[in-house]
Amino acid sequence: MQIDLHAHSTASDGTDTPAELVRRARAVRLDVLALTDHDTTGGWTEAVAALPAGLTLVRGAELSCVSEGDRPISLHLLAYLFDPADAAFVAERRRLREARWDRGRQIVARLVADGYPIDWDSVRELAGDAPVGRPHIGRALVSAGVVASVDEAFERLLHHDSPYYVAKQDTEVLGAIRLVRAAGGVPVFAHPLARRRGEVVSDEVIAQMAAAGLAGLEVDHPDHRGTDRAHLRGLAADLGLLVTGSSDYHGSNKAVDLGACRTDPEAYQRIVAEATRLPPVTG
Ligand code: AMP
Ligand code: FE
Ligand code: FE
Ligand code: ZN
């Protein structure tokens, strides 16, 4: 079984529509794909409607979270198979999307103030109904001829140490884990040691997350080097967490192929077993 538990569509900052994404998943011979757009379930319906025969879809999302220690550290939480109508979780996803909107405008305003030839309207148009993210701003910078690629936009202007960077108002992570569990879902810490995105949390914070109800760690991820994967595997064993692997595919916004990292069937079965309200769907 080929299982990829983390991918983005145009419902957030990927470039494949949800229908294109599930078709591509089958074309690259995946058996299971999780759709995990940032802070939204907006792509679920289209993905289910377009599901090819033989592909199983895990409906999910990737939540923007913050760990409040001495200084705030941003991190991502994958949420699988939760009830999309759970009122508290619906409200929090909406709040996150609104926070992204305000923050996107602030980043664009800072770029405009320095003379970069983009504007908020074009970024908004590029995002469409999706929660606004830095990749949308990156694409506006590509369209304006400022940079040649979204990657270059991140390297030069959009990275977390840039003067143009503005943090989002994310969800406190222990609360987010409880929110996902209360909605019947299964929370997995996305790319815990993706260091190029900024500071990463300590093992102590991961232990606190486990105590709050975390189910697993995404260990095999394109942004993790070998030593970090080995460390996370040990930590998962110590804390009784399951281990996943996934590509974090974003289409042409990022140079990673669907299925680049994968999850063992036993870990996938544990996730399905822990979900209390929403099963996977098979085409
Ligand atoms: P945001 O959610 O607006 O903070 O933007 C973060 C998103 O930008 C991540 O989910 C990735 O999709 C993307 N990203 C981060 N770093 C890079 C990079 N160096 N090149 C392209 N995309 C990136
Ligand atoms: Fe993304
Ligand atoms: Fe992420
Ligand atoms: Zn992701």
Side-chain angles (χ1 to χ4, degrees):
M1 275 231 280
Q2 301 296 316
I3 303 164
D4 186 342
L5 292 182
H6 185 165
H8 297 265
S9 75
T10 50
S12 66
D13 58 4
T15 56
D16 291 4
T17 64
E20 286 166 350
L21 183 65
V22 291
R23 285 198 288 266
R24 184 186 300 272
R26 201 57 194 142
V28 302
R29 298 174 179 278
L30 288 179
D31 302 291
V32 180
L33 174 76
L35 175 63
T36 53
D37 278 306
H38 295 285
D39 308 326
T40 184
T41 60
W44 285 15
T45 306
E46 183 186 323
V48 170
L51 207 54
L55 183 71
T56 296
L57 181 73
V58 170
R59 286 164 284 180
E62 184 177 22
L63 301 174
S64 308
C65 295
V66 60
S67 168
E68 308 275 16
D70 305 339
R71 43 191 186 283
I73 296 177
S74 81
L75 66 165
H76 289 172
L77 187 72
L78 292 160
Y80 297 118
L81 301 171
F82 55 87
D83 176 358
D86 179 273
F89 198 6
V90 165
E92 186 58 15
R93 289 195 301 277
R94 181 176 306 128
R95 191 192 68 77
L96 283 169
R97 293 194 297 270
E98 286 169 5
R100 281 178 168 280
W101 186 269
D102 293 337
R103 173 265 204 161
R105 278 169 73 148
Q106 290 175 47
I107 295 177
V108 170
R110 289 185 183 191
L111 287 162
V112 168
D114 261 9
Y116 289 100
I118 61 166
D119 55 70
W120 174 238
D121 279 346
S122 55
V123 172
R124 222 174 46 181
E125 213 164 287
L126 277 165
D129 291 332
V132 178
R134 283 177 284 163
H136 301 117
I137 302 172
R139 274 165 58 202
L141 289 162
V142 172
S143 296
V146 175
V147 289
S149 67
V150 173
D151 259 327
E152 190 191 336
F154 267 89
E155 262 158 51
R156 282 183 43 200
L157 300 166
L158 299 176
H159 60 88
H160 62 95
D161 279 330
S162 160
Y164 305 109
Y165 180 74
V166 178
K168 305 194 295 312
Q169 299 295 310
D170 293 335
T171 312
E172 191 284 314
V173 69
L174 301 180
I177 289 167
R178 295 186 193 105
L179 198 58
V180 173
R181 286 290 192 184
V186 185
V188 170
F189 188 178
H191 45 74
L193 296 178
R195 301 178 189 278
R196 71 177 181 132
R197 298 162 189 245
E199 200 178 350
V200 297
V201 299
S202 64
D203 291 357
E204 287 68 35
V205 170
I206 297 179
Q208 287 168 18
M209 291 169 68
L214 188 71
L217 301 179
E218 188 182 56
V219 172
D220 291 309
H221 182 282
D223 291 357
H224 284 161
R225 53 187 194 221
T227 48
D228 285 334
R229 292 185 195 199
H231 176 73
L232 287 171
R233 242 178 259 287
L235 196 58
D238 290 347
L239 296 170
L241 299 172
L242 57 85
V243 162
T244 69
S246 21
S247 65
D248 202 355
Y249 176 75
H250 278 73
S252 61
N253 272 350
K254 222 170 159 194
V256 171
D257 288 331
L258 202 52
C261 295
R262 292 174 306 280
T263 296
D264 288 339
E266 304 80 69
Y268 166 63
Q269 293 303 345
R270 259 180 79 185
I271 290 173
V272 173
E274 286 190 25
T276 59
R277 292 200 218 158
L278 194 76
V281 273
T282 299

